[in-house]
Amino acid sequence: MRLCDLYYCQPLLFNSKRLNYMNKNIKTMLWIAVALLGAFAVAGIALNRGESINALWLITAAVCVYAIAYRFYAAWIAAKVLVIDETRATPAERLDNGRDFVPTNKWVVFGHHFAAIAGPGPLIGPTLAAQFGYLPGTLWILIGAVLGGAVQDMVTLFFSTRRNGRSLGQMARDEIGVVGGSAALIGTFLIMIILIAVLGLVVVNAMKHSPWATSTVAATIPIAMLVGVYMRNIRPGRVLEASIIGVVLLLLSVGLGGWVDHHETLRSLFDHDGLPLAYGIILYGFAAAVLPVWLLLAPRDYLSTFMKLGTIMLLAIAIVILRPDMHMPAVTQFVDGTGPIFGGKLFPFVFITIACGAISGFHALIASGTTPKLLGNERDIRMIGYGGMLLESFVAIMAMIAATVLEPGVFFAINSPAGVVGKEAVDAIAKINSWGFAVTVEQMQQLASDMGESTLFSRTGGAPSLAVGMASIFGSAFGKELLALWYHFAIMFEAIFILTTLDAGTRVGRFMLQDLLGNFNKKLGETSYTPSVILTSSIVVAGWGYFLYIGVIDPNGGVNILWPLFGIANQMLAAIALCVATGILVKSGKLKYAWVTGMPLIWLVTITTSAAYEKIFSADVRVGFFAAANDMAAKLAAGTLPTDKVAVAPQLIFNQHLDAYLTMFFVVVLWVVILDMVRLCLRYLGGKPVLKLSEVPHEPSRLVENWVRD
């Protein structure tokens, strides 16, 4: 290059550097503004007392917190802690078998993962926890998701991907040792059974005696299978076409449900008690576990994601338009443990009631189950793992808003069990008014009529009240004359949310059991071996089907007996996942980064152990399992039980004892895994021999090579 050329280029180089410097400053200022806005919104929520707060504050706080966390914290973990390598072949590429291991479009994988993890937790948990007020749950959702839930999901997905998509329990056995690993294998499987049962129970309570909801949810199954066949056989690779067809059919199914509800003959075909619906869900779970992933599971979850994200975005838009005030107090009198929806004080029960919206062990099962078997490239782990959890946390914020914009009297009339407030509407209203929350019989009757339901009293489980809240917001923003349609659309939205987690969970349970049996018989450990598929799927479905049956026959709706067990088990599972991750980080020579998983681990161990102690030893019959069983047994012996409870009392007493012993077992499993992980870390740091890392050797990705070449 001539000197004069260099001379003339200097101004261009200077201007380019100046432009880059200006862009960097603009970005820095923009992120500082986002951080300040988020801090101001969170402070406004936390410090506000007395006057009603606008729901827009919650949305602003959530969006700002999530943006900062994803841009900086998640990026740092991906680059420095995990060291993601996008040129490395994933198990989906290396082990592609067309059934379980299938390299899949990243957006389809994101859709499957999000649909699978976003079960009842982000919807039902915040709704139930609203009995404490909106403030405690909101703060836990934001802080727990950013520092705990999203971290757990991302690191578990990464470690499983580096280990051929191994399940969480098997990774524990391979990395920590036989004692802790075996405890984790058995414990995670049993916890999984409880989690799926509660998912099914919430769906049953939402569809019970609602032909509109039942017919709409039933229609989603053939629609998903049609989309699966379309994308694989009819028009391979035409994801957009299949998506449009599927979404249009799903929307039509909502309208068709209204027609079914008003058709005299068809209505009777879809109007059922809880037990027939439970049996139908059990059959569906078995089918989802044994059919090829491309036929039902992946397309259903993918379509469900459109419905979920579309509904949540629509709800957010409606809230921005309406800017509704939240009528529930920031903190209610029920923080002392006297709440009608479930017993227990604010600490620790708010942290186990809101599970998936903040941190959920179930996510670790999906992140080490189906998702790593579909992941095409490691670079997508941050988006799918961390980003998917943040999106679910936003769903939880929307659920909290939808629940707390209702008048408190209406909220408690819908969610309080008949056993607490009374069977008759007049008795229920009197009880709720005595708590200081105004509501009338006429108000509830009109509300039920507007929603197209016969009654909304004691519709426990959280799903109906959430649907009422969503319908009220949608109706106010887009037309109150369509309230019944909005209500049943919300019910379909919730049921799809939960069923996609149920089917993915059943399949993951099958993988977990196959991993466990593979330690004794290699053939049974093969995920595509048909006899093993049928055997393990049957065992998994029979297990959670029993607990679903328990919940359905419970006169109080089942949620108050199963949800606390669900929450404790779920958070203990998250603690086990963080234990495994912490152990792997230490063994990988990354002790200085172990706090990333160790910090949320310590918090989870604290709250789960405290909650388990309360549920086992509390003398309060609304909290302690043994106390409740003894109280019912005494009333049965004295002949003072209501008639409807006498027939099922022996079963309910047995179930309370079973729940207590399961909780004890889960606590033992958790502490065995923790102590074994601590032993492993101390041995490694002391220079003593430990199990070798089970990470598979690096193999270049041909998918990346083909992409670069093409």
Side-chain angles (χ1 to χ4, degrees):
M1 180 182 289
R2 293 180 302 171
L3 183 62
C4 58
D5 291 336
L6 182 62
Y7 175 80
Y8 286 116
C9 285
Q10 282 181 343
L12 296 176
L13 292 172
F14 176 77
N15 288 334
S16 177
K17 289 181 179 178
R18 185 178 179 183
L19 184 61
N20 289 336
Y21 180 75
M22 289 176 61
N23 287 338
K24 185 177 180 181
N25 282 342
I26 291 173
K27 289 180 180 179
T28 301
M29 291 172 63
L30 177 63
W31 283 112
I32 290 174
V34 171
L36 290 174
L37 178 61
F40 182 72
V42 172
I45 295 168
L47 300 177
N48 182 74
R49 292 293 183 275
E51 296 182 4
S52 297
I53 188 171
N54 194 282
L56 202 56
W57 283 97
L58 270 69
I59 293 180
T60 302
V63 171
C64 292
V65 168
Y66 299 151
I68 293 289
Y70 184 80
R71 171 60 183 84
F72 296 102
Y73 192 45
W76 176 78
I77 293 174
K80 297 295 184 180
V81 181
L82 302 181
V83 192
I84 285 173
D85 183 0
E86 65 180 37
T87 67
R88 187 186 186 110
T90 64
E93 177 186 351
R94 290 185 289 100
L95 306 175
D96 184 3
N97 59 12
R99 184 187 183 97
D100 296 315
F101 291 88
V102 183
T104 307
N105 179 281
K106 67 179 180 180
W107 294 111
V108 176
V109 179
F110 179 87
H112 155 73
H113 181 79
F114 175 71
I117 65 172
L123 295 173
I124 308 306
T127 304
L128 300 178
Q131 80 165 4
F132 293 132
Y134 67 79
L135 179 59
T138 298
L139 293 179
W140 169 233
I141 290 168
L142 294 178
I143 299 170
V146 167
L147 298 180
V151 171
Q152 175 212 239
D153 293 11
M154 182 166 70
V155 299
T156 303
L157 177 57
F158 174 80
F159 289 137
S160 180
T161 300
R162 287 285 179 94
R163 288 159 178 78
N164 284 337
R166 282 294 182 90
S167 68
L168 174 63
Q170 191 61 43
M171 284 197 296
R173 194 175 191 278
D174 294 341
E175 298 290 348
I176 295 179
V178 176
V179 177
S182 298
L185 266 173
I186 298 171
T188 52
F189 178 72
L190 291 178
I191 289 172
M192 185 78 184
I193 296 297
I194 301 298
L195 303 188
I196 301 174
V198 176
L199 306 183
L201 178 61
V202 174
V203 175
V204 168
N205 285 345
M207 295 193 301
K208 188 164 52 178
H209 292 302
S210 180
W212 194 334
T214 303
S215 59
T216 301
V217 172
T220 64
I221 299 173
I223 292 172
M225 297 180 73
L226 172 63
V227 170
V229 172
Y230 190 94
M231 285 197 292
R232 186 174 179 88
N233 301 118
I234 300 176
R235 297 273 284 174
R238 305 287 183 174
V239 177
L240 181 60
E241 290 179 15
S243 302
I244 293 173
I245 292 171
V247 171
V248 169
L249 289 176
L250 283 177
L251 293 175
L252 288 175
S253 70
V254 180
L256 182 64
W259 176 73
V260 168
D261 190 44
H262 292 90
H263 192 285
E264 205 170 304
T265 304
L266 293 177
R267 177 183 172 83
S268 61
L269 296 177
F270 295 96
D271 188 358
H272 298 291
D273 289 327
L275 276 178
L277 293 172
Y279 296 145
I281 288 173
I282 289 170
L283 288 175
Y284 167 74
F286 179 79
V290 300
L291 290 175
V293 68
W294 60 266
L295 179 59
L296 178 59
L297 191 70
R300 180 185 173 85
D301 291 355
Y302 177 61
L303 285 178
S304 297
T305 300
F306 278 104
M307 294 301 298
K308 294 174 181 181
L309 295 183
T311 304
I312 290 301
M313 292 304 112
L314 188 64
L315 186 61
I317 291 170
I319 291 170
V320 171
I321 293 172
L322 294 175
R323 297 187 296 278
D325 288 336
M326 293 184 292
H327 295 105
M328 186 71 71
V331 180
T332 70
Q333 69 265 38
F334 299 129
V335 294
D336 64 356
T338 60
I341 300 175
F342 61 89
K345 295 182 180 180
L346 178 67
F347 179 87
F349 288 101
V350 71
F351 302 105
I352 64 166
T353 301
I354 299 178
C356 304
I359 181 168
S360 167
F362 181 83
H363 297 189
L365 301 183
I366 302 299
S368 63
T370 53
T371 304
K373 296 177 174 64
L374 303 175
L375 188 71
N377 195 295
E378 283 191 6
R379 66 169 172 262
D380 302 323
I381 287 176
R382 175 183 167 216
M383 177 190 74
I384 294 169
Y386 201 96
M389 177 60 215
L390 292 185
L391 192 56
E392 178 172 3
S393 183
F394 188 66
V395 172
I397 291 292
M398 293 295 101
M400 179 64 75
I401 292 173
T404 54
V405 295
L406 292 174
E407 292 290 341
V410 172
F411 171 84
F412 286 111
I414 298 174
N415 286 291
S416 300
V420 175
V421 295
K423 286 186 176 182
E424 300 300 325
V426 176
D427 296 332
I429 292 298
K431 185 72 172 178
I432 295 167
N433 285 333
S434 71
W435 298 332
F437 301 122
V439 65
T440 65
V441 174
E442 293 74 22
Q443 183 181 359
M444 292 301 299
Q445 289 174 340
Q446 183 60 51
L447 185 63
S449 177
D450 292 342
M451 300 298 166
E453 293 289 303
S454 57
T455 181
L456 288 172
F457 276 107
S458 298
R459 294 291 298 274
T460 58
S465 68
L466 177 59
V468 170
M470 291 174 63
S472 299
I473 293 172
F474 286 144
S476 298
F478 308 118
K480 288 190 174 182
E481 65 277 2
L482 298 175
L483 271 176
L485 182 65
W486 286 122
Y487 173 81
H488 287 93
F489 174 82
I491 288 290
M492 182 202 70
F493 159 77
E494 296 174 45
I496 284 179
F497 233 109
I498 296 164
L499 279 180
T500 48
T501 308
L502 182 144
D503 55 30
T506 303
R507 198 177 191 93
V508 170
R510 190 250 288 180
F511 290 148
M512 292 169 60
L513 188 55
Q514 286 178 306
D515 274 346
L516 181 63
L517 295 177
N519 293 310
F520 306 99
N521 185 303
K522 289 187 177 181
K523 197 67 176 175
L524 291 177
E526 295 178 8
T527 58
S528 298
Y529 179 50
T530 301
S532 175
V533 169
I534 295 175
L535 172 65
T536 52
S537 298
S538 300
I539 294 173
V540 171
V541 171
W544 63 256
Y546 171 75
F547 284 96
L548 174 57
Y549 171 79
I550 287 174
V552 170
I553 66 171
D554 183 3
N556 287 331
V559 171
N560 60 351
I561 188 175
L562 282 181
W563 193 270
L565 181 63
F566 166 87
I568 293 171
N570 197 24
Q571 305 302 57
M572 283 185 175
L573 188 55
I576 290 174
L578 291 170
C579 263
V580 174
T582 303
I584 293 176
L585 286 176
V586 173
K587 285 173 60 179
S588 302
K590 299 178 180 179
L591 176 63
K592 64 180 180 179
Y593 297 131
W595 62 267
V596 172
T597 53
M599 182 174 60
L601 170 61
I602 292 171
W603 176 247
L604 283 181
V605 171
T606 302
I607 62 173
T608 52
T609 304
S610 300
Y613 181 86
E614 289 286 325
K615 295 302 294 183
I616 295 169
F617 298 109
S618 175
D620 186 343
V621 297
R622 300 184 62 248
V623 177
F625 288 129
F626 285 129
N630 295 337
D631 179 69
M632 183 171 288
K635 289 180 179 178
L636 180 63
T640 57
L641 272 182
T643 307
D644 61 331
K645 288 188 178 182
V646 172
V648 295
Q651 184 73 62
L652 295 177
I653 292 169
F654 171 79
N655 294 336
Q656 292 279 11
H657 282 105
L658 179 61
D659 288 351
Y661 290 122
L662 278 173
T663 304
M664 290 181 188
F665 176 75
F666 293 154
V667 172
V668 171
V669 166
L670 173 62
W671 279 99
V672 167
V673 176
I674 291 172
L675 294 176
D676 212 21
M677 184 271 291
V678 171
R679 177 197 60 82
L680 167 81
C681 294
L682 292 176
R683 287 183 63 84
Y684 176 83
L685 296 175
K688 298 179 180 178
V690 296
L691 290 173
K692 292 182 179 179
L693 288 169
S694 59
E695 181 177 304
V696 297
H698 180 281
E699 184 177 319
S701 171
R702 297 187 62 82
L703 294 178
V704 174
E705 292 174 3
N706 292 338
W707 177 77
V708 172
R709 185 171 60 252
D710 294 341

